[in-house]
Amino acid sequence: EEDSPSPFFHLQEKKKQIQLMQKALEVKEEDFKNRMKVITCRWRDLHAKEVQMKTYMEKSGRTLKENDKMRNQALKKASKEREKKVQKESELLRAKGELEALRNKHQKLCKRVQKYSIFNKYLEDVVKISQFEEIQEVIWRYKTLVRMHKDLLQSQQGHKEMSEQAKVLLDQYMEEKEAEILQYKSELVQLQLHFDQAQSDILSWEARWADIQNTAAKKTQELATIKLAILNLFQ
């Protein structure tokens, strides 16, 4: 019901269409009557003119040339009148077809209105037991609720899209930070290796320094012994 037009609103629209069709049908019928009157008058005029033409031709005492000329003119005029008559008959047939089509459409609309009349009765009952005073107010309220529902769906869709976008940004941020963490870990491993190597070098140099100190102490002791021996010899 939210995605399709309301049958109640559809009923009101169909009633309006029937009223418009009824007015159009009345206008067409009036136009048809006027056309019939005009065609009848013209037909009478044409018949009267033909009778006058025949009488004039019978009573005419002019020469053969004038008679031929007048006869040709009369034939041309009669031909034009016949063409007008055919045209009017064609217009009359088209008007009859339009009138028949309007009648058929009117019958279909009447059947459709009769079919949906149950909804009109239902709306009338709703108005009686509710705070609404007219059926149109119920329809307006329904339209408002449908519009609010659509707005709510659009808002939810917007929040969903924003949430998805935020999730994508968060994933990108996490990936960047994880890449930085991996890089820092790699650098930390390299620094640890350098530190271990430095510790190993320190131990090696400390051992060498201890050997140097021991050697220096021995040399110092030997020097002191030599000095003492030289002093003893000198004495």
Side-chain angles (χ1 to χ4, degrees):
E1 291 179 356
E2 295 171 355
D3 296 334
S4 61
S6 171
F8 312 145
F9 179 70
H10 186 67
L11 175 62
Q12 298 295 325
E13 292 293 331
K14 290 301 179 182
K15 282 187 174 182
K16 294 180 180 179
Q17 291 180 6
I18 290 175
Q19 293 176 356
L20 294 176
M21 291 296 296
Q22 185 67 33
K23 292 181 180 180
L25 185 62
E26 292 175 356
V27 172
K28 288 289 184 180
E29 289 180 349
E30 185 67 24
D31 184 61
F32 177 74
K33 291 179 181 179
N34 293 331
R35 289 184 180 181
M36 287 295 296
K37 291 180 181 179
V38 172
I39 292 172
T40 302
C41 293
R42 290 186 177 181
W43 176 258
R44 290 177 180 175
D45 294 339
L46 177 62
H47 183 69
K49 288 179 180 179
E50 288 180 352
V51 172
Q52 292 176 0
M53 187 62 66
K54 290 180 180 179
T55 304
Y56 179 77
M57 290 295 293
E58 291 176 356
K59 295 181 178 180
S60 178
R62 296 181 180 180
T63 60
L64 182 61
K65 185 176 181 179
E66 292 177 352
N67 289 334
D68 291 338
K69 183 178 180 181
M70 292 178 64
R71 184 170 60 84
N72 292 331
Q73 292 177 352
L75 291 174
K76 290 179 180 180
K77 189 173 182 179
S79 178
K80 290 181 179 180
E81 292 294 335
R82 290 191 186 94
E83 290 177 358
K84 290 181 180 179
K85 178 182 177 182
V86 171
Q87 183 178 1
K88 292 300 179 181
E89 289 178 351
S90 177
E91 292 177 357
L92 179 61
L93 291 175
R94 185 170 62 253
K96 287 182 178 180
E98 293 177 356
L99 182 61
E100 186 65 25
L102 288 173
R103 286 176 178 173
N104 293 332
K105 193 170 184 179
H106 181 265
Q107 291 178 357
K108 290 180 180 179
L109 289 174
C110 289
K111 291 180 180 179
R112 189 170 297 175
V113 169
Q114 186 178 3
K115 179 181 178 181
Y116 291 116
S117 60
I118 183 174
F119 300 109
N120 187 60
K121 181 63 170 61
Y122 173 76
L123 284 174
E124 291 176 353
D125 295 337
V126 170
V127 171
K128 291 179 182 179
I129 62 175
S130 65
Q131 73 276 15
F132 300 103
E133 296 181 358
E134 296 180 357
I135 294 177
Q136 191 63 38
E137 293 181 2
V138 179
I139 296 175
W140 288 340
R141 179 60 176 171
Y142 172 76
K143 288 183 177 181
T144 302
L145 292 175
V146 170
R147 185 169 58 254
M148 292 175 62
H149 181 69
K150 289 183 179 179
D151 294 340
L152 180 61
L153 291 178
Q154 291 178 356
S155 178
Q156 291 178 351
Q157 183 66 24
H159 289 303
K160 183 178 179 181
E161 292 177 355
M162 291 177 63
S163 177
E164 291 177 353
Q165 186 177 3
K167 184 179 179 182
V168 171
L169 294 175
L170 179 61
D171 293 338
Q172 292 178 354
Y173 178 78
M174 292 296 294
E175 291 177 357
E176 293 175 357
K177 293 305 176 182
E178 288 177 357
E180 291 180 1
I181 291 172
L182 291 176
Q183 184 178 358
Y184 291 150
K185 285 182 178 180
S186 177
E187 293 178 356
L188 183 60
V189 170
Q190 294 295 328
L191 292 173
Q192 186 67 37
L193 292 175
H194 289 306
F195 179 75
D196 293 339
Q197 184 66 35
Q199 289 287 345
S200 178
D201 293 340
I202 290 172
L203 293 175
S204 177
W205 284 105
E206 286 180 349
R208 292 180 64 183
W209 175 251
D211 292 340
I212 291 170
Q213 287 181 340
N214 291 330
T215 303
K218 290 180 180 179
K219 295 297 182 181
T220 302
Q221 187 177 1
E222 290 178 355
L223 180 62
T225 302
I226 292 171
K227 286 181 177 181
L228 181 60
I230 292 172
L231 180 62
N232 289 333
L233 291 175
F234 179 77
Q235 291 176 356

